[in-house]
Amino acid sequence: MLSPHEKLICLLIDEICVNPGLNYKGGKLLGKAENANQQANTIQAFMITSLFSKYKEKVALVPMKNQTADDLYFQTLKVLQMLNDCKYNVLCLISDNNRINRNMFTQMCQGNLVNCISNPVQPENKLFFLFDTVHLIKSVRNNWFNEKTLGQVLCFPSPDNSSKISLDKLQDLKDIYETEKSNLIKNGFKAIPESVISHFF
Protein backbone atom coordinates (compact mmCIF):
# COMPACT_ATOMS: atom_id res chain seq x y z
CA MET A 1 0.00 0.00 0.00
CA LEU A 2 1.51 3.31 -1.09
CA SER A 3 1.25 6.44 1.03
CA PRO A 4 -0.23 9.58 -0.61
CA HIS A 5 3.17 11.22 -1.18
CA GLU A 6 4.44 8.06 -2.93
CA LYS A 7 1.58 8.39 -5.41
CA LEU A 8 3.10 11.60 -6.79
CA ILE A 9 4.54 10.14 -9.99
CA CYS A 10 6.15 10.73 -13.36
CA LEU A 11 4.75 8.93 -16.39
CA LEU A 12 7.48 7.73 -18.77
CA ILE A 13 6.57 6.92 -22.37
CA ASP A 14 8.72 5.02 -24.85
CA GLU A 15 8.19 3.12 -28.11
CA ILE A 16 9.94 -0.24 -28.52
CA CYS A 17 10.43 -1.93 -31.91
CA VAL A 18 9.35 -5.60 -32.05
CA ASN A 19 9.24 -8.35 -34.68
CA PRO A 20 5.66 -8.76 -35.95
CA GLY A 21 4.08 -12.05 -34.94
CA LEU A 22 0.92 -13.61 -33.49
CA ASN A 23 0.70 -15.87 -30.45
CA TYR A 24 -2.25 -17.67 -28.88
CA LYS A 25 -1.96 -17.54 -25.10
CA GLY A 26 -4.48 -17.86 -22.29
CA GLY A 27 -7.39 -17.94 -24.72
CA LYS A 28 -6.29 -14.70 -26.40
CA LEU A 29 -4.59 -13.88 -29.68
CA LEU A 30 -1.59 -11.64 -28.95
CA GLY A 31 0.37 -9.49 -31.37
CA LYS A 32 -2.40 -7.56 -33.14
CA ALA A 33 -1.98 -3.79 -33.13
CA GLU A 34 -4.42 -1.64 -31.16
CA ASN A 35 -4.56 0.97 -33.94
CA ALA A 36 -4.84 -1.30 -37.00
CA ASN A 37 -6.10 -4.72 -38.07
CA GLN A 38 -2.49 -5.85 -38.59
CA GLN A 39 0.38 -7.33 -36.64
CA ALA A 40 2.09 -4.81 -34.37
CA ASN A 41 5.61 -3.65 -35.22
CA THR A 42 6.13 -1.60 -32.04
CA ILE A 43 5.06 -1.66 -28.40
CA GLN A 44 4.14 1.65 -26.78
CA ALA A 45 5.33 1.33 -23.19
CA PHE A 46 4.07 3.39 -20.25
CA MET A 47 5.91 3.25 -16.92
CA ILE A 48 5.45 5.20 -13.70
CA THR A 49 8.06 6.15 -11.16
CA SER A 50 7.40 7.78 -7.79
CA LEU A 51 9.01 11.13 -7.04
CA PHE A 52 9.45 10.33 -3.35
CA SER A 53 10.18 6.61 -3.21
CA LYS A 54 11.83 3.81 -5.20
CA TYR A 55 8.45 2.62 -6.45
CA LYS A 56 8.38 1.89 -10.22
CA GLU A 57 5.86 0.00 -12.28
CA LYS A 58 4.98 -0.79 -15.88
CA VAL A 59 1.36 0.28 -16.33
CA ALA A 60 0.68 -0.41 -20.02
CA LEU A 61 2.29 -2.16 -22.99
CA VAL A 62 0.26 -1.34 -26.08
CA PRO A 63 0.98 -3.11 -29.43
CA MET A 64 0.92 -0.58 -32.30
CA LYS A 65 1.39 -0.51 -36.08
CA ASN A 66 3.12 2.57 -37.56
CA GLN A 67 2.00 4.70 -34.64
CA THR A 68 1.06 8.34 -35.21
CA ALA A 69 0.90 11.30 -32.81
CA ASP A 70 -2.90 10.90 -32.75
CA ASP A 71 -2.53 7.25 -31.69
CA LEU A 72 -0.09 8.18 -28.93
CA TYR A 73 -2.31 11.05 -27.76
CA PHE A 74 -5.30 8.70 -27.45
CA GLN A 75 -3.29 6.02 -25.59
CA THR A 76 -1.69 8.59 -23.26
CA LEU A 77 -5.09 10.00 -22.29
CA LYS A 78 -6.32 6.46 -21.56
CA VAL A 79 -3.32 5.79 -19.30
CA LEU A 80 -3.70 9.16 -17.53
CA GLN A 81 -7.36 8.36 -16.84
CA MET A 82 -6.50 4.87 -15.57
CA LEU A 83 -3.85 6.30 -13.21
CA ASN A 84 -6.29 8.94 -11.98
CA ASP A 85 -8.86 6.21 -11.27
CA CYS A 86 -6.17 4.42 -9.22
CA LYS A 87 -5.62 7.65 -7.19
CA TYR A 88 -2.19 8.46 -8.63
CA ASN A 89 -1.18 12.08 -9.19
CA VAL A 90 0.82 12.41 -12.43
CA LEU A 91 3.04 15.48 -12.25
CA CYS A 92 4.95 15.10 -15.51
CA LEU A 93 5.29 13.18 -18.75
CA ILE A 94 8.83 12.17 -19.75
CA SER A 95 9.86 11.06 -23.22
CA ASP A 96 12.75 11.15 -25.64
CA ASN A 97 12.88 13.74 -28.41
CA ASN A 98 11.15 11.54 -31.00
CA ARG A 99 9.06 13.47 -33.55
CA ILE A 100 5.85 11.56 -32.69
CA ASN A 101 6.31 12.38 -28.99
CA ARG A 102 6.86 16.08 -29.75
CA ASN A 103 3.80 16.19 -31.99
CA MET A 104 1.70 14.46 -29.33
CA PHE A 105 2.80 17.00 -26.70
CA THR A 106 1.99 19.83 -29.12
CA GLN A 107 -1.45 18.30 -29.59
CA MET A 108 -1.95 18.17 -25.82
CA CYS A 109 -1.01 21.87 -25.72
CA GLN A 110 -3.71 22.74 -28.29
CA GLY A 111 -1.14 23.39 -31.02
CA ASN A 112 1.21 25.72 -29.09
CA LEU A 113 3.94 23.75 -27.29
CA VAL A 114 4.47 24.93 -23.69
CA ASN A 115 6.25 23.39 -20.70
CA CYS A 116 3.06 22.56 -18.77
CA ILE A 117 -0.73 22.41 -19.12
CA SER A 118 -3.69 21.64 -16.89
CA ASN A 119 -3.81 17.88 -16.44
CA PRO A 120 -6.56 16.61 -18.82
CA VAL A 121 -7.94 14.26 -16.13
CA GLN A 122 -7.13 16.43 -13.09
CA PRO A 123 -7.75 20.03 -14.30
CA GLU A 124 -6.87 21.48 -10.89
CA ASN A 125 -3.27 20.17 -11.25
CA LYS A 126 -0.52 21.02 -13.72
CA LEU A 127 1.04 18.44 -16.00
CA PHE A 128 4.65 19.16 -17.01
CA PHE A 129 6.42 17.93 -20.15
CA LEU A 130 10.06 16.80 -20.00
CA PHE A 131 11.90 15.98 -23.23
CA ASP A 132 15.08 13.96 -23.55
CA THR A 133 16.03 14.39 -19.87
CA VAL A 134 18.85 11.82 -19.87
CA HIS A 135 20.72 13.62 -22.65
CA LEU A 136 20.10 17.02 -21.06
CA ILE A 137 21.60 15.83 -17.76
CA LYS A 138 24.55 14.32 -19.64
CA SER A 139 25.10 17.64 -21.45
CA VAL A 140 25.11 19.53 -18.14
CA ARG A 141 27.61 17.03 -16.72
CA ASN A 142 29.89 17.30 -19.78
CA ASN A 143 29.79 21.10 -19.73
CA TRP A 144 30.60 21.08 -16.02
CA PHE A 145 33.59 18.77 -16.52
CA ASN A 146 34.84 20.93 -19.42
CA GLU A 147 34.48 24.20 -17.49
CA LYS A 148 37.83 26.04 -17.46
CA THR A 149 37.20 28.42 -14.54
CA LEU A 150 39.02 27.99 -11.23
CA GLY A 151 37.21 25.24 -9.28
CA GLN A 152 35.14 24.43 -12.40
CA VAL A 153 32.23 26.70 -11.46
CA LEU A 154 28.85 26.08 -13.08
CA CYS A 155 26.52 29.12 -13.20
CA PHE A 156 22.74 28.63 -13.48
CA PRO A 157 19.49 30.44 -12.57
CA SER A 158 18.38 29.82 -9.00
CA PRO A 159 15.38 27.43 -8.87
CA ASP A 160 13.47 29.69 -6.44
CA ASN A 161 14.40 33.03 -8.02
CA SER A 162 15.11 33.23 -11.75
CA SER A 163 16.76 36.65 -11.45
CA LYS A 164 19.39 35.25 -9.07
CA ILE A 165 22.40 33.28 -10.34
CA SER A 166 23.54 30.22 -8.38
CA LEU A 167 27.05 28.77 -8.47
CA ASP A 168 28.26 25.20 -7.97
CA LYS A 169 31.91 24.16 -7.90
CA LEU A 170 32.88 20.76 -9.23
CA GLN A 171 35.96 21.04 -7.05
CA ASP A 172 33.70 20.75 -3.97
CA LEU A 173 32.55 17.29 -5.13
CA LYS A 174 36.13 16.25 -5.87
CA ASP A 175 37.17 17.39 -2.38
CA ILE A 176 34.37 15.34 -0.79
CA TYR A 177 35.47 12.27 -2.74
CA GLU A 178 39.14 12.71 -1.77
CA THR A 179 38.24 13.25 1.89
CA GLU A 180 35.93 10.25 2.15
CA LYS A 181 37.35 7.68 -0.28
CA SER A 182 39.07 5.76 2.54
CA ASN A 183 36.24 6.11 5.07
CA LEU A 184 33.89 3.24 5.84
CA ILE A 185 30.95 5.64 6.36
CA LYS A 186 30.50 8.29 3.67
CA ASN A 187 28.21 11.26 3.04
CA GLY A 188 28.86 11.08 -0.72
CA PHE A 189 28.49 7.28 -0.84
CA LYS A 190 27.97 7.16 -4.63
CA ALA A 191 30.81 9.52 -5.52
CA ILE A 192 33.31 8.06 -7.98
CA PRO A 193 36.46 9.58 -9.46
CA GLU A 194 36.19 11.79 -12.56
CA SER A 195 38.58 9.50 -14.45
CA VAL A 196 36.11 6.59 -14.09
CA ILE A 197 33.11 8.71 -15.19
CA SER A 198 35.02 10.10 -18.19
CA HIS A 199 35.82 6.53 -19.30
CA PHE A 200 32.10 5.81 -19.89
CA PHE A 201 31.16 9.07 -21.63
Side-chain angles (χ1 to χ4, degrees):
M1 186 73 176
L2 296 176
S3 60
H5 77 277
E6 290 178 304
K7 289 194 170 187
L8 294 170
I9 59 169
C10 298
L11 175 60
L12 291 75
I13 60 178
D14 197 14
E15 190 176 25
I16 305 163
C17 292
V18 295
N19 290 324
L22 294 175
N23 291 299
Y24 185 76
K25 188 174 183 181
K28 293 182 180 180
L29 194 61
L30 305 177
K32 180 179 169 293
E34 287 282 325
N35 62 335
N37 192 24
Q38 300 179 53
Q39 295 178 24
N41 60 357
T42 63
I43 298 291
Q44 182 59 53
F46 295 88
M47 189 177 91
I48 59 173
T49 179
S50 174
L51 288 171
F52 297 106
S53 75
K54 294 182 178 181
Y55 175 73
K56 293 180 181 179
E57 191 67 61
K58 292 183 286 292
V59 293
L61 297 171
V62 185
M64 304 295 281
K65 175 70 175 181
N66 300 331
Q67 178 175 237
T68 65
D70 288 339
D71 295 327
L72 181 57
Y73 177 71
F74 174 72
Q75 294 298 333
T76 302
L77 288 181
K78 278 180 62 176
V79 170
L80 285 171
Q81 185 61 60
M82 177 189 68
L83 292 170
N84 183 59
D85 294 343
C86 295
K87 307 302 182 190
Y88 287 102
N89 186 1
V90 180
L91 297 182
C92 66
L93 294 179
I94 299 176
S95 80
D96 61 25
N97 206 24
N98 181 289
R99 178 182 53 82
I100 291 173
N101 297 338
R102 294 196 313 269
N103 290 344
M104 185 273 291
F105 285 150
T106 302
Q107 191 171 340
M108 291 189 87
C109 297
Q110 308 297 318
N112 184 25
L113 189 60
V114 292
N115 64 350
C116 70
I117 61 169
S118 292
N119 191 320
V121 297
Q122 294 177 335
E124 68 280 5
N125 294 328
K126 288 185 176 181
L127 180 65
F128 292 86
F129 302 130
L130 301 177
F131 297 90
D132 216 16
T133 49
V134 171
H135 292 101
L136 290 173
I137 292 169
K138 181 179 174 183
S139 293
V140 170
R141 183 204 68 85
N142 288 344
N143 285 326
W144 203 3
F145 278 162
N146 294 328
E147 184 60 54
K148 303 302 181 189
T149 56
L150 184 64
Q152 292 178 282
V153 179
L154 182 69
C155 304
F156 57 94
S158 177
D160 54 355
N161 183 354
S162 59
S163 63
K164 181 182 174 186
I165 298 298
S166 295
L167 305 173
D168 273 331
K169 294 181 182 178
L170 188 60
Q171 189 60 50
D172 291 341
L173 296 177
K174 292 178 180 179
D175 291 343
I176 291 171
Y177 171 76
E178 287 299 326
T179 302
E180 296 188 340
K181 67 181 179 182
S182 302
N183 296 352
L184 186 59
I185 299 174
K186 302 173 179 165
N187 292 319
F189 67 96
K190 289 189 177 180
I192 57 177
E194 182 181 348
S195 58
V196 173
I197 295 173
S198 299
H199 176 73
F200 292 103
F201 296 96

